Amino acid sequence: MCPRSAEALVVVSPGTDVAPTGTSDPGWNNVTVAGGRNFIYLGDGWAISARHVGPQITDAANLQALQFSTGSFNLIKNQNFIVDNPASLTLGGATVAHPLPPDPYESDLRLVRLDTDPGLPSIFDANPKFTIPSQPPAVVSQVMVVGSGPSRNSGETNWNSSWQTVPPNAGPVAFTGFTASNQPQDIIKRWGTNNLVNANSVSNILNQVLSPTTGVVALVTPDGYTRDVASLVASFDQNVGSPSYESQVVPGDSGSGVFYKNGNQWNLVGIADAQFIYTNQPGLTAMYGDLTTYIDLAYYHDQIFNIINAHKNYSISGDINLDGNLCGDGSPACGSSDVAA
């Protein structure tokens, strides 16, 4: 199987395009609405997604606003951070023979900051809607994925070993799955479920096995660089019940939130990052047997909170333009940025 980034969600059963109700809702409104990048709002202005979802740190023209159910919110240009892999783990050039990014420890995880409070639940609340755990779920734990992307077309499709479609009640059938729409109007937000697999059972797609649920994926992201990513893995399985909310990612838009309910507490455990597909598998398809990898947020827990704790004062008194600097005292080095704002 081969990896491919930039995904959205395909769910076997319909009816998941509305928020789960009551305690079954892990944080639907904290995930951006359909039509833009998938980000998950954490609180205190912070939102998280896959690095390759964008925006680029130095690209001011690419700082499009994020759309949540409560409105559209601009990003602060210099509050845009890539989460590194821990230096204690041998990653980067030591394990992959691909071009390296400037920082060999750079993962595929990004934190950005909004310039306005969107009025959504926060992980910093006294009784948070969800948290970021320091330990991943156990093997075979069921997770719920929330994100937007292309809708699947109705009904299963069969293919033969040459990837030609097979009519109903005909054969032989080598692959079964779903096709997804390529029409912009069919992009929709939805939720789906899946079960984590043992990392040792999919060691063929991993550079390293870190724990029973976590392994290292060497992911070539759209900019051509390889980034090692500590990842959870789920398999798109057939015949898992009716209705089946089994989900799989397809090309569209990465960054969907992956939630796990531990007792009564929802945890944000992952970010949808890549799909592993069969050789020559057609585009915009989800095939039974495909794999989805999710960035393991428990593995990056400390790095995430180190960034958050080091950048608390983006809205200090007087920082009118919310760039993280109190500037506008008339000195040549400062100019009049806050005064002008």
Side-chain angles (χ1 to χ4, degrees):
M1 304 189 81
C2 52
R4 183 165 62 187
S5 63
E7 313 83 32
L9 199 62
V10 159
V11 182
V12 172
S13 295
T16 66
D17 56 349
V18 294
T21 57
T23 58
S24 297
D25 177 9
W28 173 273
N29 286 332
N30 282 60
V31 181
T32 44
V33 301
R37 298 182 175 99
N38 280 317
F39 270 82
I40 301 94
Y41 180 71
L42 301 179
D44 196 25
W46 294 101
I48 195 167
S49 187
R51 187 214 62 84
H52 72 262
V53 169
Q56 298 304 315
I57 290 177
T58 58
D59 187 0
N62 201 31
L63 290 174
Q64 293 103 326
L66 297 183
Q67 308 287 331
F68 291 93
S69 60
T70 53
S72 176
F73 303 94
N74 293 322
L75 301 181
I76 303 172
K77 182 181 178 182
N78 71 344
Q79 298 284 304
N80 188 334
F81 305 93
I82 305 301
V83 181
D84 280 351
N85 291 302
S88 60
L89 187 67
T90 304
L91 294 173
T95 58
V96 290
H98 295 291
L100 289 175
D103 179 354
Y105 294 106
E106 186 176 275
S107 76
D108 195 34
L109 190 62
R110 180 192 303 272
L111 283 167
V112 298
R113 213 162 193 188
L114 313 181
D115 68 358
T116 307
D117 185 343
L120 294 166
S122 167
I123 62 173
F124 307 108
D125 292 340
N127 296 298
K129 181 83 173 177
F130 61 86
T131 64
I132 297 178
S134 58
Q135 295 294 324
V139 174
V140 308
S141 295
Q142 186 180 82
V143 295
M144 178 181 287
V145 188
V146 181
S148 63
S151 298
R152 72 165 177 83
N153 297 315
S154 61
E156 292 180 339
T157 300
N158 295 322
W159 289 264
N160 62 24
S161 59
S162 299
W163 291 109
Q164 297 169 320
T165 56
V166 178
N169 302 314
V173 174
F175 305 97
T176 299
F178 297 88
T179 62
S181 171
N182 62 358
Q183 300 301 310
Q185 67 269 22
D186 291 334
I187 292 178
I188 193 169
K189 182 177 175 180
R190 63 178 62 77
W191 60 268
T193 61
N194 212 319
N195 283 56
L196 302 180
V197 302
N198 191 309
N200 288 295
S201 70
V202 290
S203 60
N204 60 306
I205 71 165
L206 303 173
N207 275 16
Q208 293 174 257
V209 174
L210 304 176
S211 75
T213 53
T214 307
V216 178
V217 173
L219 182 65
V220 182
T221 47
D223 59 4
Y225 290 120
T226 297
R227 290 171 170 84
D228 285 347
V229 185
S231 303
L232 307 168
V233 185
S235 175
F236 190 44
D237 297 323
Q238 195 171 13
N239 301 322
V240 291
S242 181
S244 169
Y245 299 115
E246 184 83 355
S247 64
Q248 169 65 25
V249 296
V250 295
D253 190 9
S254 298
S256 299
V258 184
F259 299 88
Y260 167 69
K261 196 172 188 181
N262 186 9
N264 293 322
Q265 178 64 64
W266 280 104
N267 291 326
L268 178 65
V269 297
I271 302 292
D273 197 42
Q275 65 172 167
F276 280 76
I277 59 173
Y278 296 102
T279 302
N280 298 323
Q281 180 175 324
L284 281 175
T285 58
M287 216 65 57
Y288 292 125
D290 284 353
L291 302 175
T292 298
T293 61
Y294 313 125
I295 302 171
D296 181 357
L297 294 188
Y299 184 84
Y300 295 103
H301 175 276
D302 291 352
Q303 286 87 339
I304 291 169
F305 283 95
N306 286 343
I307 291 172
I308 289 174
N309 292 331
H311 299 87
K312 291 183 176 180
N313 296 325
Y314 82 108
S315 57
I316 54 176
S317 179
D319 183 16
I320 306 302
N321 66 357
L322 298 176
D323 65 357
N325 299 305
L326 186 58
C327 191
D329 60 5
S331 64
C334 179
S336 58
S337 58
D338 289 312
V339 174

